[in-house]
Amino acid sequence: MNLAALAGELRPMLQGSVRVNELMSNHTTWRIGGPADIFIDPVGKEDVQRAVRYARVKGIPLTVIGNGSNLLVRDGGIRGMVIKIGRGLSDITVAGNEIKAGAGAMLPELAAAARRAGLGGFEFAAGIPGSLGGAVVMNAGAMNGCVADVLKSVLVLDERNEFVLLSKEELAFSYRSSLLQKKQYICLETSWVGYPKDRAVIEQETRDYLAKRKSLQPQGWPNAGSVFKNPPGDSAGRLIEAAQGKGLRVGDAEVSPKHANWILNLGQATATDVLSLIKQVQHLVQERFGVALHLEVRVLGED
Ligand SMILES: Cc1cc2nc3c(=O)[nH]c(=O)nc-3n(C[C@H](O)[C@H](O)[C@H](O)COP(=O)(O)OP(=O)(O)OC[C@H]3O[C@@H](n4cnc5c(N)ncnc54)[C@H](O)[C@@H]3O)c2cc1C
């Protein structure tokens, strides 16, 4: 595949940018990941549709990302086309109790829009560094709130490359999971419903909540938040800590001494380092407690 030629064909079709051999470490919060062959930052949902159509016609593999805050991209990078749903699809509008937002808007922006409008239910979103699309895929949540509590519907591109509106019920949400992890749909727009709540109360609760997060979470090193899902009725962080996993290190990847479910990139960590550390932690917890830890982060690309 001649990447420069493909990019040359794509550029006139799209409003957004098209890059070749773009390092995914620039697009993941872990700051890890090799190059994507073709990297597209679309502007508007029609751009996404045109890029997907092109990829399908040419038989190019397709990967969609949001803010890369739940992604481990392997060191060999991603073959084919990566579409980042970001600033080009990030408009937010509020009408009554409803908020409509592009899937590239960020959770803290959604929380801020709700706060300004005096709408409750979105407080949990203030501290999570994900796009709305990624948040829907992951059913992101924190502190007793999650996407499924306030989402109304999403507009997606389906497998036929057509725009389809899906209701919350159709998204089959459960803990850190949704239909969009099984279907290759691309989330483009989101609709949410809040409830009237005093602005001063929302502001105070948000401040308290952000302060609590800051005190519990490691600061200063690139990371992807929680690496493992919590097993039913338990906490992955507690299990890893009790199995003496805190501070384990492979290369520049370290299990945070502050929060055992976080792996930090202390500078030059590679995906190989992180994956090797993940295996060690899983082995440790399995040996000690007989519990299998499953990944919350999504692993993409090749070695
Ligand atoms: C410091 C920190 C704190 C965090 N705290 C929390 C927390 O409290 N609670 C929590 O739940 N998570 C937390 N996370 C994890 C992460 O922010 C969430 O999972 C977030 O929802 C991921 O969104 P994203 O846009 O970064 O998605 P990405 O990481 O880019 O992608 C995640 C998955 O969604 C897919 N995807 C992304 N966008 C789309 C789209 N538009 N259409 C289709 N598929 C898409 C990707 O292919 C991938 O499989 C934290 C992460 C960090 C770094």
Side-chain angles (χ1 to χ4, degrees), residues 190-256:
T190 60
S191 296
W192 311 78
V193 185
Y195 59 90
K197 183 167 170 180
D198 188 83
R199 275 175 59 169
V201 175
I202 302 177
E203 275 163 18
Q204 186 57 51
E205 285 179 9
T206 304
R207 264 197 300 276
D208 293 348
Y209 153 69
L210 290 178
K212 186 166 176 198
R213 280 181 76 94
K214 200 167 175 199
S215 72
L216 293 174
Q217 296 177 348
Q219 309 289 325
W221 297 109
N223 64 77
S226 294
V227 173
F228 301 100
K229 293 185 186 185
N230 288 325
D234 210 332
S235 131
R238 189 199 72 77
L239 289 164
I240 299 166
E241 183 171 355
Q244 314 295 325
K246 271 188 170 174
L248 274 183
R249 192 164 164 175
V250 175
D252 263 354
E254 182 188 57
V255 176
S256 164

Short mmCIF file of all heavy atoms in Angstrom, two decimals, residues 190-256:
data_model
loop_
_atom_site.label_atom_id
_atom_site.label_comp_id
_atom_site.label_asym_id
_atom_site.label_seq_id
_atom_site.Cartn_x
_atom_site.Cartn_y
_atom_site.Cartn_z
N THR A 190 -24.41 12.44 20.38
CA THR A 190 -25.00 11.87 21.61
C THR A 190 -26.09 12.81 22.13
O THR A 190 -26.00 14.03 21.97
CB THR A 190 -23.90 11.74 22.70
OG1 THR A 190 -23.37 13.05 22.98
CG2 THR A 190 -22.77 10.84 22.26
N SER A 191 -27.13 12.25 22.74
CA SER A 191 -28.18 13.05 23.41
C SER A 191 -28.31 12.57 24.84
O SER A 191 -28.30 11.36 25.11
CB SER A 191 -29.54 12.85 22.73
OG SER A 191 -29.48 13.33 21.44
N TRP A 192 -28.46 13.53 25.74
CA TRP A 192 -28.47 13.25 27.18
C TRP A 192 -29.65 13.94 27.83
O TRP A 192 -30.10 14.98 27.35
CB TRP A 192 -27.18 13.78 27.81
CG TRP A 192 -25.93 13.39 27.10
CD1 TRP A 192 -25.42 13.94 25.95
CD2 TRP A 192 -25.01 12.33 27.46
NE1 TRP A 192 -24.26 13.30 25.59
CE2 TRP A 192 -23.97 12.32 26.49
CE3 TRP A 192 -24.97 11.41 28.51
CZ2 TRP A 192 -22.91 11.42 26.55
CZ3 TRP A 192 -23.90 10.52 28.56
CH2 TRP A 192 -22.89 10.52 27.59
N VAL A 193 -30.10 13.41 28.95
CA VAL A 193 -31.18 14.06 29.70
C VAL A 193 -30.77 14.19 31.16
O VAL A 193 -30.40 13.19 31.79
CB VAL A 193 -32.50 13.25 29.64
CG1 VAL A 193 -33.63 14.03 30.33
CG2 VAL A 193 -32.89 12.96 28.21
N GLY A 194 -30.85 15.43 31.67
CA GLY A 194 -30.58 15.66 33.08
C GLY A 194 -31.85 16.05 33.81
O GLY A 194 -32.94 15.98 33.24
N TYR A 195 -31.68 16.44 35.07
CA TYR A 195 -32.84 16.91 35.84
C TYR A 195 -32.47 18.23 36.50
O TYR A 195 -31.30 18.46 36.80
CB TYR A 195 -33.25 15.85 36.88
CG TYR A 195 -32.15 15.50 37.85
CD1 TYR A 195 -32.00 16.20 39.05
CD2 TYR A 195 -31.23 14.49 37.55
CE1 TYR A 195 -30.97 15.89 39.91
CE2 TYR A 195 -30.20 14.18 38.42
CZ TYR A 195 -30.08 14.88 39.59
OH TYR A 195 -29.05 14.60 40.45
N PRO A 196 -33.46 19.11 36.70
CA PRO A 196 -33.15 20.42 37.27
C PRO A 196 -32.51 20.29 38.65
O PRO A 196 -32.99 19.51 39.47
CB PRO A 196 -34.52 21.10 37.36
CG PRO A 196 -35.40 20.34 36.43
CD PRO A 196 -34.88 18.93 36.40
N LYS A 197 -31.42 21.02 38.85
CA LYS A 197 -30.71 20.95 40.14
C LYS A 197 -30.03 22.29 40.37
O LYS A 197 -29.53 22.91 39.43
CB LYS A 197 -29.68 19.81 40.08
CG LYS A 197 -28.92 19.56 41.37
CD LYS A 197 -28.18 18.23 41.28
CE LYS A 197 -27.21 18.06 42.44
NZ LYS A 197 -26.49 16.79 42.39
N ASP A 198 -29.99 22.69 41.61
CA ASP A 198 -29.42 23.99 41.96
C ASP A 198 -27.95 24.06 41.51
O ASP A 198 -27.14 23.18 41.83
CB ASP A 198 -29.52 24.15 43.49
CG ASP A 198 -29.12 25.54 43.90
OD1 ASP A 198 -29.98 26.43 43.82
OD2 ASP A 198 -27.94 25.73 44.27
N ARG A 199 -27.62 25.16 40.81
CA ARG A 199 -26.26 25.28 40.26
C ARG A 199 -25.20 25.29 41.33
O ARG A 199 -24.14 24.69 41.19
CB ARG A 199 -26.15 26.57 39.43
CG ARG A 199 -26.61 26.38 38.02
CD ARG A 199 -26.62 27.67 37.25
NE ARG A 199 -25.29 28.30 37.21
CZ ARG A 199 -25.00 29.33 36.43
NH1 ARG A 199 -25.93 29.85 35.65
NH2 ARG A 199 -23.80 29.83 36.43
N ALA A 200 -25.50 26.00 42.43
CA ALA A 200 -24.49 26.10 43.51
C ALA A 200 -24.21 24.72 44.10
O ALA A 200 -23.07 24.40 44.45
CB ALA A 200 -25.00 27.06 44.58
N VAL A 201 -25.25 23.89 44.19
CA VAL A 201 -25.07 22.54 44.74
C VAL A 201 -24.21 21.70 43.78
O VAL A 201 -23.27 21.00 44.19
CB VAL A 201 -26.44 21.85 45.00
CG1 VAL A 201 -26.25 20.41 45.45
CG2 VAL A 201 -27.24 22.64 46.02
N ILE A 202 -24.52 21.81 42.50
CA ILE A 202 -23.72 21.05 41.51
C ILE A 202 -22.26 21.48 41.60
O ILE A 202 -21.34 20.65 41.60
CB ILE A 202 -24.22 21.29 40.06
CG1 ILE A 202 -25.68 20.90 39.90
CG2 ILE A 202 -23.35 20.52 39.06
CD1 ILE A 202 -26.26 21.17 38.51
N GLU A 203 -22.05 22.80 41.69
CA GLU A 203 -20.68 23.31 41.72
C GLU A 203 -19.92 22.78 42.95
O GLU A 203 -18.79 22.32 42.84
CB GLU A 203 -20.67 24.84 41.72
CG GLU A 203 -20.76 25.38 40.31
CD GLU A 203 -21.17 26.85 40.26
OE1 GLU A 203 -21.06 27.54 41.28
OE2 GLU A 203 -21.62 27.27 39.17
N GLN A 204 -20.60 22.81 44.09
CA GLN A 204 -19.94 22.34 45.33
C GLN A 204 -19.64 20.85 45.23
O GLN A 204 -18.53 20.40 45.54
CB GLN A 204 -20.84 22.63 46.54
CG GLN A 204 -20.19 22.32 47.88
CD GLN A 204 -18.88 23.09 48.07
OE1 GLN A 204 -18.83 24.30 47.90
NE2 GLN A 204 -17.80 22.37 48.39
N GLU A 205 -20.63 20.07 44.78
CA GLU A 205 -20.42 18.61 44.68
C GLU A 205 -19.28 18.30 43.71
O GLU A 205 -18.48 17.39 43.94
CB GLU A 205 -21.71 17.92 44.23
CG GLU A 205 -22.72 17.85 45.36
CD GLU A 205 -24.04 17.18 44.94
OE1 GLU A 205 -24.11 16.62 43.82
OE2 GLU A 205 -24.98 17.25 45.73
N THR A 206 -19.22 19.06 42.62
CA THR A 206 -18.17 18.81 41.63
C THR A 206 -16.80 19.12 42.22
O THR A 206 -15.84 18.36 42.03
CB THR A 206 -18.42 19.66 40.36
OG1 THR A 206 -19.73 19.36 39.87
CG2 THR A 206 -17.41 19.34 39.27
N ARG A 207 -16.71 20.24 42.95
CA ARG A 207 -15.42 20.60 43.58
C ARG A 207 -14.98 19.50 44.55
O ARG A 207 -13.83 19.07 44.53
CB ARG A 207 -15.56 21.93 44.34
CG ARG A 207 -15.10 23.15 43.53
CD ARG A 207 -14.87 24.35 44.44
NE ARG A 207 -16.06 24.74 45.16
CZ ARG A 207 -17.02 25.54 44.67
NH1 ARG A 207 -16.90 26.01 43.44
NH2 ARG A 207 -18.06 25.86 45.38
N ASP A 208 -15.93 19.03 45.39
CA ASP A 208 -15.59 17.99 46.37
C ASP A 208 -15.12 16.72 45.67
O ASP A 208 -14.14 16.08 46.06
CB ASP A 208 -16.82 17.64 47.24
CG ASP A 208 -17.22 18.81 48.13
OD1 ASP A 208 -16.42 19.77 48.23
OD2 ASP A 208 -18.34 18.76 48.69
N TYR A 209 -15.86 16.38 44.62
CA TYR A 209 -15.58 15.15 43.90
C TYR A 209 -14.21 15.22 43.22
O TYR A 209 -13.41 14.27 43.29
CB TYR A 209 -16.74 14.93 42.92
CG TYR A 209 -16.44 14.15 41.68
CD1 TYR A 209 -16.15 12.79 41.75
CD2 TYR A 209 -16.48 14.75 40.43
CE1 TYR A 209 -15.88 12.08 40.60
CE2 TYR A 209 -16.23 14.05 39.28
CZ TYR A 209 -15.92 12.71 39.37
OH TYR A 209 -15.66 12.00 38.23
N LEU A 210 -13.88 16.38 42.61
CA LEU A 210 -12.58 16.50 41.94
C LEU A 210 -11.44 16.47 42.95
O LEU A 210 -10.39 15.89 42.70
CB LEU A 210 -12.53 17.79 41.10
CG LEU A 210 -13.40 17.78 39.84
CD1 LEU A 210 -13.33 19.12 39.11
CD2 LEU A 210 -13.02 16.65 38.89
N ALA A 211 -11.69 17.08 44.12
CA ALA A 211 -10.65 17.07 45.17
C ALA A 211 -10.42 15.63 45.64
O ALA A 211 -9.28 15.20 45.87
CB ALA A 211 -11.08 17.96 46.33
N LYS A 212 -11.52 14.86 45.77
CA LYS A 212 -11.39 13.47 46.22
C LYS A 212 -10.60 12.66 45.19
O LYS A 212 -9.71 11.89 45.54
CB LYS A 212 -12.79 12.88 46.42
CG LYS A 212 -12.77 11.51 47.03
CD LYS A 212 -14.14 11.09 47.52
CE LYS A 212 -14.08 9.67 48.03
NZ LYS A 212 -15.38 9.05 48.12
N ARG A 213 -10.94 12.85 43.92
CA ARG A 213 -10.21 12.13 42.86
C ARG A 213 -8.72 12.46 42.94
O ARG A 213 -7.88 11.58 42.84
CB ARG A 213 -10.73 12.55 41.48
CG ARG A 213 -12.01 11.88 41.07
CD ARG A 213 -12.43 12.34 39.68
NE ARG A 213 -11.65 11.74 38.62
CZ ARG A 213 -12.00 10.65 37.95
NH1 ARG A 213 -13.12 10.03 38.22
NH2 ARG A 213 -11.24 10.17 36.99
N LYS A 214 -8.43 13.75 43.11
CA LYS A 214 -7.03 14.18 43.11
C LYS A 214 -6.28 13.52 44.27
O LYS A 214 -5.12 13.12 44.13
CB LYS A 214 -6.96 15.71 43.22
CG LYS A 214 -5.66 16.25 42.76
CD LYS A 214 -5.69 17.74 42.56
CE LYS A 214 -4.27 18.18 42.20
NZ LYS A 214 -4.05 19.59 42.40
N SER A 215 -6.97 13.39 45.41
CA SER A 215 -6.27 12.82 46.56
C SER A 215 -6.06 11.31 46.41
O SER A 215 -5.12 10.75 46.96
CB SER A 215 -7.05 13.11 47.84
OG SER A 215 -8.22 12.31 47.87
N LEU A 216 -6.93 10.64 45.64
CA LEU A 216 -6.82 9.19 45.52
C LEU A 216 -5.95 8.75 44.34
O LEU A 216 -5.41 7.65 44.33
CB LEU A 216 -8.22 8.57 45.31
CG LEU A 216 -9.20 8.67 46.48
CD1 LEU A 216 -10.58 8.16 46.07
CD2 LEU A 216 -8.68 7.88 47.67
N GLN A 217 -5.83 9.63 43.32
CA GLN A 217 -5.21 9.18 42.08
C GLN A 217 -3.78 9.69 41.94
O GLN A 217 -3.47 10.81 42.34
CB GLN A 217 -6.04 9.67 40.89
CG GLN A 217 -7.44 9.05 40.87
CD GLN A 217 -8.30 9.56 39.74
OE1 GLN A 217 -7.96 10.53 39.08
NE2 GLN A 217 -9.41 8.89 39.52
N PRO A 218 -2.94 8.88 41.31
CA PRO A 218 -1.56 9.32 41.05
C PRO A 218 -1.56 10.53 40.14
O PRO A 218 -2.39 10.63 39.24
CB PRO A 218 -0.94 8.12 40.33
CG PRO A 218 -1.86 6.98 40.54
CD PRO A 218 -3.22 7.54 40.78
N GLN A 219 -0.64 11.44 40.35
CA GLN A 219 -0.54 12.63 39.50
C GLN A 219 0.85 12.66 38.85
O GLN A 219 1.80 12.19 39.42
CB GLN A 219 -0.70 13.91 40.35
CG GLN A 219 -1.90 13.95 41.25
CD GLN A 219 -3.21 14.10 40.49
OE1 GLN A 219 -3.25 14.79 39.48
NE2 GLN A 219 -4.25 13.45 40.97
N GLY A 220 0.90 13.25 37.69
CA GLY A 220 2.22 13.61 37.15
C GLY A 220 2.79 12.70 36.09
O GLY A 220 3.65 13.13 35.34
N TRP A 221 2.36 11.42 35.99
CA TRP A 221 2.91 10.54 34.96
C TRP A 221 1.80 10.11 34.01
O TRP A 221 0.67 9.88 34.45
CB TRP A 221 3.55 9.30 35.58
CG TRP A 221 4.73 9.60 36.45
CD1 TRP A 221 4.77 9.50 37.81
CD2 TRP A 221 6.02 10.07 36.04
NE1 TRP A 221 6.01 9.87 38.27
CE2 TRP A 221 6.80 10.22 37.20
CE3 TRP A 221 6.60 10.36 34.80
CZ2 TRP A 221 8.12 10.65 37.16
CZ3 TRP A 221 7.92 10.79 34.77
CH2 TRP A 221 8.66 10.93 35.94
N PRO A 222 2.13 9.98 32.72
CA PRO A 222 1.11 9.52 31.77
C PRO A 222 0.54 8.16 32.17
O PRO A 222 1.27 7.29 32.63
CB PRO A 222 1.88 9.41 30.45
CG PRO A 222 3.04 10.32 30.60
CD PRO A 222 3.40 10.30 32.06
N ASN A 223 -0.78 8.01 32.00
CA ASN A 223 -1.45 6.77 32.43
C ASN A 223 -2.76 6.63 31.67
O ASN A 223 -3.09 7.51 30.87
CB ASN A 223 -1.69 6.81 33.95
CG ASN A 223 -2.65 7.92 34.32
OD1 ASN A 223 -3.85 7.80 34.13
ND2 ASN A 223 -2.12 9.05 34.80
N ALA A 224 -3.48 5.56 31.94
CA ALA A 224 -4.78 5.37 31.28
C ALA A 224 -5.86 5.09 32.33
O ALA A 224 -6.83 4.38 32.07
CB ALA A 224 -4.71 4.23 30.27
N GLY A 225 -5.68 5.64 33.52
CA GLY A 225 -6.65 5.38 34.59
C GLY A 225 -6.59 3.91 34.99
O GLY A 225 -5.53 3.28 34.94
N SER A 226 -7.73 3.36 35.37
CA SER A 226 -7.76 1.96 35.83
C SER A 226 -7.44 1.01 34.68
O SER A 226 -8.04 1.11 33.61
CB SER A 226 -9.14 1.62 36.39
OG SER A 226 -9.36 2.38 37.56
N VAL A 227 -6.53 0.11 34.94
CA VAL A 227 -6.11 -0.83 33.89
C VAL A 227 -7.05 -2.04 33.84
O VAL A 227 -7.41 -2.52 32.76
CB VAL A 227 -4.66 -1.30 34.17
CG1 VAL A 227 -4.25 -2.41 33.19
CG2 VAL A 227 -3.72 -0.11 34.08
N PHE A 228 -7.47 -2.52 35.03
CA PHE A 228 -8.32 -3.72 35.09
C PHE A 228 -9.72 -3.35 35.54
O PHE A 228 -9.91 -2.39 36.30
CB PHE A 228 -7.74 -4.72 36.10
CG PHE A 228 -6.35 -5.17 35.77
CD1 PHE A 228 -5.24 -4.62 36.42
CD2 PHE A 228 -6.12 -6.14 34.80
CE1 PHE A 228 -3.95 -5.01 36.11
CE2 PHE A 228 -4.82 -6.55 34.48
CZ PHE A 228 -3.74 -5.98 35.15
N LYS A 229 -10.70 -4.13 35.09
CA LYS A 229 -12.05 -3.99 35.62
C LYS A 229 -12.08 -4.53 37.04
O LYS A 229 -11.34 -5.47 37.35
CB LYS A 229 -13.05 -4.80 34.78
CG LYS A 229 -13.22 -4.28 33.37
CD LYS A 229 -14.30 -5.09 32.67
CE LYS A 229 -14.37 -4.68 31.21
NZ LYS A 229 -15.45 -5.32 30.48
N ASN A 230 -12.96 -3.97 37.85
CA ASN A 230 -13.14 -4.54 39.19
C ASN A 230 -13.88 -5.87 39.06
O ASN A 230 -14.91 -5.93 38.41
CB ASN A 230 -13.95 -3.59 40.07
CG ASN A 230 -13.13 -2.38 40.47
OD1 ASN A 230 -11.92 -2.48 40.68
ND2 ASN A 230 -13.77 -1.23 40.53
N PRO A 231 -13.35 -6.94 39.70
CA PRO A 231 -14.10 -8.20 39.69
C PRO A 231 -15.38 -8.02 40.51
O PRO A 231 -15.42 -7.15 41.39
CB PRO A 231 -13.17 -9.20 40.37
CG PRO A 231 -11.91 -8.48 40.68
CD PRO A 231 -12.12 -7.02 40.48
N PRO A 232 -16.44 -8.81 40.24
CA PRO A 232 -17.69 -8.63 40.97
C PRO A 232 -17.48 -8.61 42.48
O PRO A 232 -16.81 -9.49 43.01
CB PRO A 232 -18.52 -9.86 40.55
CG PRO A 232 -17.93 -10.27 39.23
CD PRO A 232 -16.49 -9.89 39.26
N GLY A 233 -17.98 -7.56 43.13
CA GLY A 233 -17.94 -7.49 44.60
C GLY A 233 -16.57 -7.16 45.17
O GLY A 233 -16.37 -7.23 46.38
N ASP A 234 -15.58 -6.84 44.33
CA ASP A 234 -14.25 -6.54 44.87
C ASP A 234 -13.62 -5.40 44.08
O ASP A 234 -14.24 -4.87 43.15
CB ASP A 234 -13.37 -7.80 44.79
CG ASP A 234 -12.33 -7.83 45.90
OD1 ASP A 234 -11.93 -6.76 46.38
OD2 ASP A 234 -11.93 -8.93 46.30
N SER A 235 -12.42 -5.02 44.46
CA SER A 235 -11.74 -3.95 43.74
C SER A 235 -10.39 -4.47 43.24
O SER A 235 -9.63 -5.09 44.01
CB SER A 235 -11.58 -2.75 44.68
OG SER A 235 -10.26 -2.27 44.65
N ALA A 236 -10.12 -4.23 41.95
CA ALA A 236 -8.86 -4.70 41.37
C ALA A 236 -7.69 -4.08 42.13
O ALA A 236 -6.70 -4.75 42.43
CB ALA A 236 -8.81 -4.33 39.90
N GLY A 237 -7.81 -2.78 42.47
CA GLY A 237 -6.73 -2.09 43.18
C GLY A 237 -6.43 -2.76 44.52
O GLY A 237 -5.27 -2.99 44.86
N ARG A 238 -7.49 -3.11 45.25
CA ARG A 238 -7.29 -3.76 46.56
C ARG A 238 -6.56 -5.09 46.40
O ARG A 238 -5.63 -5.41 47.13
CB ARG A 238 -8.65 -3.98 47.23
CG ARG A 238 -8.57 -4.45 48.67
CD ARG A 238 -9.85 -5.10 49.17
NE ARG A 238 -10.11 -6.42 48.60
CZ ARG A 238 -9.49 -7.54 48.97
NH1 ARG A 238 -8.55 -7.52 49.91
NH2 ARG A 238 -9.78 -8.70 48.39
N LEU A 239 -7.01 -5.89 45.41
CA LEU A 239 -6.41 -7.21 45.20
C LEU A 239 -4.93 -7.10 44.82
O LEU A 239 -4.09 -7.83 45.33
CB LEU A 239 -7.16 -7.96 44.09
CG LEU A 239 -8.58 -8.43 44.45
CD1 LEU A 239 -9.36 -8.81 43.20
CD2 LEU A 239 -8.50 -9.63 45.40
N ILE A 240 -4.62 -6.15 43.94
CA ILE A 240 -3.23 -6.00 43.47
C ILE A 240 -2.35 -5.54 44.64
O ILE A 240 -1.25 -6.05 44.85
CB ILE A 240 -3.15 -5.00 42.29
CG1 ILE A 240 -3.96 -5.51 41.10
CG2 ILE A 240 -1.69 -4.78 41.88
CD1 ILE A 240 -4.23 -4.48 40.02
N GLU A 241 -2.88 -4.61 45.42
CA GLU A 241 -2.11 -4.12 46.57
C GLU A 241 -1.86 -5.26 47.57
O GLU A 241 -0.73 -5.46 48.03
CB GLU A 241 -2.88 -2.98 47.25
CG GLU A 241 -2.09 -2.39 48.40
CD GLU A 241 -2.72 -1.11 48.96
OE1 GLU A 241 -3.73 -0.63 48.38
OE2 GLU A 241 -2.20 -0.60 49.96
N ALA A 242 -2.92 -6.03 47.85
CA ALA A 242 -2.78 -7.12 48.82
C ALA A 242 -1.84 -8.21 48.31
O ALA A 242 -1.23 -8.93 49.10
CB ALA A 242 -4.16 -7.71 49.13
N ALA A 243 -1.70 -8.33 46.98
CA ALA A 243 -0.77 -9.32 46.42
C ALA A 243 0.63 -8.73 46.26
O ALA A 243 1.47 -9.29 45.56
CB ALA A 243 -1.31 -9.80 45.07
N GLN A 244 0.88 -7.59 46.90
CA GLN A 244 2.21 -6.92 46.87
C GLN A 244 2.58 -6.44 45.47
O GLN A 244 3.76 -6.41 45.11
CB GLN A 244 3.34 -7.87 47.36
CG GLN A 244 3.06 -8.64 48.62
CD GLN A 244 2.90 -7.73 49.84
OE1 GLN A 244 3.55 -6.71 49.95
NE2 GLN A 244 1.98 -8.09 50.71
N GLY A 245 1.57 -6.03 44.70
CA GLY A 245 1.86 -5.60 43.33
C GLY A 245 2.30 -4.14 43.21
O GLY A 245 2.88 -3.74 42.20
N LYS A 246 2.02 -3.35 44.22
CA LYS A 246 2.37 -1.91 44.13
C LYS A 246 3.87 -1.74 43.90
O LYS A 246 4.68 -2.39 44.57
CB LYS A 246 1.98 -1.19 45.42
CG LYS A 246 0.56 -0.66 45.40
CD LYS A 246 0.29 0.21 46.62
CE LYS A 246 -1.02 0.95 46.49
NZ LYS A 246 -1.37 1.69 47.70
N GLY A 247 4.21 -0.84 42.97
CA GLY A 247 5.63 -0.55 42.74
C GLY A 247 6.33 -1.52 41.80
O GLY A 247 7.48 -1.30 41.44
N LEU A 248 5.64 -2.63 41.39
CA LEU A 248 6.27 -3.53 40.40
C LEU A 248 6.62 -2.74 39.16
O LEU A 248 5.87 -1.84 38.75
CB LEU A 248 5.29 -4.64 40.00
CG LEU A 248 5.19 -5.90 40.84
CD1 LEU A 248 4.20 -6.85 40.17
CD2 LEU A 248 6.54 -6.55 41.01
N ARG A 249 7.73 -3.12 38.51
CA ARG A 249 8.19 -2.31 37.39
C ARG A 249 8.76 -3.18 36.27
O ARG A 249 9.46 -4.15 36.54
CB ARG A 249 9.25 -1.34 37.91
CG ARG A 249 9.59 -0.26 36.95
CD ARG A 249 10.33 0.87 37.64
NE ARG A 249 10.95 1.69 36.60
CZ ARG A 249 11.60 2.80 36.80
NH1 ARG A 249 11.73 3.26 38.01
NH2 ARG A 249 12.13 3.47 35.78
N VAL A 250 8.42 -2.82 35.03
CA VAL A 250 9.09 -3.40 33.86
C VAL A 250 9.51 -2.22 32.99
O VAL A 250 8.65 -1.45 32.54
CB VAL A 250 8.16 -4.33 33.04
CG1 VAL A 250 8.87 -4.81 31.78
CG2 VAL A 250 7.69 -5.52 33.88
N GLY A 251 10.80 -2.06 32.76
CA GLY A 251 11.27 -0.88 32.03
C GLY A 251 10.78 0.37 32.75
O GLY A 251 10.90 0.49 33.97
N ASP A 252 10.16 1.27 31.98
CA ASP A 252 9.63 2.50 32.59
C ASP A 252 8.14 2.39 32.92
O ASP A 252 7.49 3.40 33.18
CB ASP A 252 9.86 3.69 31.64
CG ASP A 252 11.10 4.47 32.02
OD1 ASP A 252 11.71 4.15 33.07
OD2 ASP A 252 11.47 5.40 31.27
N ALA A 253 7.59 1.17 32.90
CA ALA A 253 6.19 0.98 33.29
C ALA A 253 6.14 0.54 34.74
O ALA A 253 6.84 -0.40 35.13
CB ALA A 253 5.53 -0.07 32.41
N GLU A 254 5.34 1.23 35.55
CA GLU A 254 5.31 0.93 36.98
C GLU A 254 3.89 0.86 37.50
O GLU A 254 3.06 1.74 37.19
CB GLU A 254 6.05 2.03 37.74
CG GLU A 254 6.10 1.76 39.25
CD GLU A 254 6.66 2.93 40.05
OE1 GLU A 254 6.09 4.04 39.93
OE2 GLU A 254 7.64 2.75 40.78
N VAL A 255 3.59 -0.15 38.32
CA VAL A 255 2.31 -0.18 39.03
C VAL A 255 2.40 0.94 40.07
O VAL A 255 3.31 0.96 40.90
CB VAL A 255 2.08 -1.54 39.73
CG1 VAL A 255 0.80 -1.50 40.55
CG2 VAL A 255 2.04 -2.67 38.71
N SER A 256 1.45 1.87 40.00
CA SER A 256 1.55 3.05 40.85
C SER A 256 1.63 2.68 42.33
O SER A 256 0.82 1.90 42.82
CB SER A 256 0.32 3.94 40.61
OG SER A 256 0.22 4.87 41.67
#
